Amino acid sequence: MRPFTWLTPETTEEAVALLRAHGEGARVIAGGQTLLLAMKERLVGPSHLVSLARITDLAGITTEPDGALVVGAATTYAALTRAELPGWQRRLSEVAGDLADRPVRNRGTIGGALCAADPRFDMPAFAVGVDAELRISGAAGERALPAHEFLVDAGRTALGQDEILTAVVLPPLPTWDVVVFEKFRHRVFDAAIASAVCALRREDHGVPASLRITVAGATPTPTVVLVDAAADGAAAAESAVAAVRLDSSDEATRYRRELVHTLVRRVVDRAHAQQGSV
Ligand SMILES: Cc1cc2nc3c(=O)[nH]c(=O)nc-3n(C[C@H](O)[C@H](O)[C@H](O)COP(=O)(O)OP(=O)(O)OC[C@H]3O[C@@H](n4cnc5c(N)ncnc54)[C@H](O)[C@@H]3O)c2cc1C
């Protein structure tokens, strides 16, 4: 690992100013679970690490008056797992509690996973799947982006050099009636090869009004597929496979295509089966 200077700002504004002052050599560090590995392998060699550890505003969960759930970017998986969340929003706790292992969950953060933009990670899939909004602070001020616009490519986000992700905002409870997440991994501590999210909203009389399917892992960024709200798992799986364009006939691609098909069929059938329960 190359030498670096460790900086410990106490506010987001201070952190942004440090990123700006040290330019391209400066990197934010949250839990370090991805960044430190990349530094050890010399894939990156920042001159300055701007730690989020002392910025208390960036960790924790609050609910806005409309029911939107604001999750600070530096909230760890362990804290998410312990949170008691209402309705479908509790899927966030379940997803956080079922990834990696305890040491990674104790340090890794939701914001770090989104900013790493690794297609195998669960939080990018979940955030796009429920149509979360990401709040960003930078030298030019604050802005917000839907998660699918934040994730630009594998390993690349819409963040500018002097910007920090401050919060992940899950929409209010009435946005969805049911949210189902499924992933496939070889071993329990492996990251996913493919994952799928189904978010379903019904009209008042129980008729599906909106079915949003998100496929991740098999594509560089999570892909949203909107299908006929009444589609069953098999029909939705066909639409999803066509949308993610896994066209090549090589074995690895055929394997991924099969995984996507199976995961989408499962999440959609499970969502329909839940019939109003969350
Ligand atoms: C052994 C192991 C197993 C794992 N298994 C899984 C798994 O099963 N599923 C899964 O989803 N993930 C898995 N992961 C990945 C894990 O989710 C990520 O490493 C972790 O969430 C990254 O968060 P962090 O806080 O440690 O980020 P860091 O490593 O600190 O940062 C990651 C990147 O994001 C940037 N960054 C961090 N926070 C911010 C911010 N707020 N604003 C701007 N930039 C920021 C950093 O500059 C860096 O580029 C695994 C990791 C390990 C080491």
Side-chain angles (χ1 to χ4, degrees), residues 91 95 122 125-126 179-183 195-198 267 270:
R91 294 291 95 71
V95 172
D122 299 337
F126 186 79
V179 172
V180 178
F181 173 87
E182 287 239 4
K183 64 180 173 180
S195 56
V197 185
C198 175
V267 289
R270 277 182 57 198

Side-chain angles (χ1 to χ4, degrees), residues 7-28 48-52 55 58 137-141 160-166:
L7 301 167
T8 53
E10 297 195 350
T11 63
T12 302
E13 296 70 32
E14 206 188 321
V16 165
L18 287 168
L19 289 175
R20 195 168 171 78
H22 297 290
E24 289 300 326
R27 287 289 281 268
V28 168
H48 293 77
L49 288 184
V50 179
S51 168
L52 303 184
I55 310 179
L58 289 184
S137 228
Q161 190 278 326
D162 62 12
E163 285 187 315
I164 289 178
L165 176 66
T166 56

Side-chain angles (χ1 to χ4, degrees), residues 77-200:
Y77 293 131
L80 291 174
T81 306
R82 287 191 300 269
E84 289 180 11
L85 303 177
W88 64 262
Q89 291 173 346
R90 80 173 70 103
R91 294 291 95 71
L92 178 66
S93 297
E94 295 164 6
V95 172
D98 186 32
L99 61 79
D101 49 28
R102 198 181 289 263
V104 173
R105 292 197 296 271
N106 282 339
R107 307 237 15 124
T109 66
I110 185 171
L114 280 153
C115 294
D118 187 316
R120 299 166 305 164
F121 293 176
D122 299 337
M123 286 301 162
F126 186 79
V128 173
V130 301
D131 202 13
E133 176 189 89
L134 304 195
R135 292 187 182 161
I136 296 166
S137 228
E142 302 195 343
R143 62 187 179 120
L145 287 177
H148 69 272
E149 284 182 27
F150 178 85
L151 298 160
V152 173
D153 203 349
R156 202 156 70 82
T157 70
L159 279 182
Q161 190 278 326
D162 62 12
E163 285 187 315
I164 289 178
L165 176 66
T166 56
V168 179
V169 184
L170 304 195
L173 287 180
T175 308
W176 307 115
D177 287 306
V178 182
V179 172
V180 178
F181 173 87
E182 287 239 4
K183 64 180 173 180
F184 181 81
R185 55 193 162 175
H186 282 302
R187 297 167 301 179
V188 73
F189 47 84
D190 284 337
I193 298 174
S195 56
V197 185
C198 175
L200 182 147

